[in-house]
Amino acid sequence: MKGFIFLAVFLMLGCSQQSKELSIDEIEQIKNEIITRSEKHASDLENMDYESVMTFYSKDLIMFGDGYYWGDYLTADGVWKDILGEDGWEEMLKWDLQNHKIHVHSRDAASYLVEFDHEHLVENGDTIRSSGSFTYGMQKFDGEWKAVTAHVTHIPVRTDDEKWWSKYSPSNRSK
């Protein structure tokens, strides 16, 4: 009897997995939706539009940054209010994203990694530059992709010579 139950569960899971497989076109569509959503988020940051920035995050958000647990949605809310509010940065000069890497898990779940470079002005007129990467767990809610997990790593802007590991990256490997 236990063998029959195991077989029945195995067959049900196997059949449901096959029916949930995504086509290459569906995967590409999801990747494009996530990149478009992320680029809008970057544009909202450049425009210092706090309300729009916060729509990128799920209310169930979990955040880590620079090696530490930062918190949840309310943490992101506080961080962006400080940065984008009246007493925050003077002006966002740029927020560029590159090297979008997405692994689609299902129609409503994906892992998303992306590098960023950004510059902003502070009150004394200095320009602050940094770069780094974001890792997001993305989930689709009511037709809209939102970050449910976020990890950010900030680093000082580096030259290509300082990216010692880059000789091993796919774009620099000899064929």
Side-chain angles (χ1 to χ4, degrees), residues 118-158:
H118 95 274
E119 297 178 6
H120 66 272
L121 290 178
V122 290
E123 193 173 308
N124 68 3
D126 286 346
T127 300
I128 306 296
R129 295 174 177 85
S130 73
S131 60
S133 60
F134 289 107
T135 303
Y136 295 113
M138 301 295 290
Q139 190 169 348
K140 199 169 195 178
F141 296 96
D142 299 323
E144 188 170 46
W145 287 98
K146 293 184 178 272
V148 293
T149 61
H151 179 267
V152 60
T153 300
H154 298 88
I155 57 173
V157 174
R158 293 185 180 180

Side-chain angles (χ1 to χ4, degrees), residues 35-77:
I35 291 169
T36 298
R37 180 76 167 115
S38 182
E39 292 288 354
K40 181 187 180 318
H41 181 60
S43 176
D44 293 339
L45 286 166
E46 284 181 347
N47 294 326
M48 298 183 70
D49 182 347
Y50 161 77
E51 295 294 329
S52 293
V53 164
M54 291 309 298
T55 66
F56 184 74
Y57 304 99
S58 161
K59 300 288 185 187
D60 295 325
L61 179 69
I62 299 169
M63 288 184 70
F64 279 75
D66 299 322
Y68 297 95
Y69 170 64
W70 283 15
D72 54 13
Y73 179 86
L74 293 177
T75 304
D77 182 71

Side-chain angles (χ1 to χ4, degrees), residues 2-168:
K2 288 180 185 175
F4 176 76
I5 292 171
F6 176 77
L7 180 60
V9 169
F10 179 78
L11 289 174
M12 286 189 316
L13 288 175
C15 291
S16 68
Q17 277 293 58
Q18 288 178 356
S19 67
K20 291 183 181 180
E21 285 186 24
L22 299 171
S23 71
I24 292 172
D25 289 343
E26 288 172 313
I27 290 170
E28 287 305 310
Q29 176 64 31
I30 289 169
K31 288 180 178 182
N32 288 332
E33 288 173 4
I34 290 171
I35 291 169
T36 298
R37 180 76 167 115
S38 182
E39 292 288 354
K40 181 187 180 318
H41 181 60
S43 176
D44 293 339
L45 286 166
E46 284 181 347
N47 294 326
M48 298 183 70
D49 182 347
Y50 161 77
E51 295 294 329
S52 293
V53 164
M54 291 309 298
T55 66
F56 184 74
Y57 304 99
S58 161
K59 300 288 185 187
D60 295 325
L61 179 69
I62 299 169
M63 288 184 70
F64 279 75
D66 299 322
Y68 297 95
Y69 170 64
W70 283 15
D72 54 13
Y73 179 86
L74 293 177
T75 304
D77 182 71
V79 167
W80 290 124
K81 275 183 184 171
D82 282 353
I83 290 172
L84 304 175
E86 289 181 28
D87 296 328
W89 296 344
E90 285 294 309
E91 181 180 356
M92 189 79 66
L93 300 174
K94 78 172 188 171
W95 199 284
D96 291 335
L97 303 176
Q98 59 272 337
N99 289 327
H100 304 268
K101 303 298 180 196
I102 301 169
H103 180 81
V104 177
H105 301 287
S106 69
R107 284 180 172 76
D108 63 355
S111 301
Y112 173 45
L113 296 90
V114 64
E115 295 176 7
F116 69 87
D117 290 306
H118 95 274
E119 297 178 6
H120 66 272
L121 290 178
V122 290
E123 193 173 308
N124 68 3
D126 286 346
T127 300
I128 306 296
R129 295 174 177 85
S130 73
S131 60
S133 60
F134 289 107
T135 303
Y136 295 113
M138 301 295 290
Q139 190 169 348
K140 199 169 195 178
F141 296 96
D142 299 323
E144 188 170 46
W145 287 98
K146 293 184 178 272
V148 293
T149 61
H151 179 267
V152 60
T153 300
H154 298 88
I155 57 173
V157 174
R158 293 185 180 180
T159 65
D160 286 339
D161 292 340
E162 294 172 309
K163 296 179 182 176
W164 59 268
W165 49 265
S166 65
K167 65 184 174 186
Y168 301 109

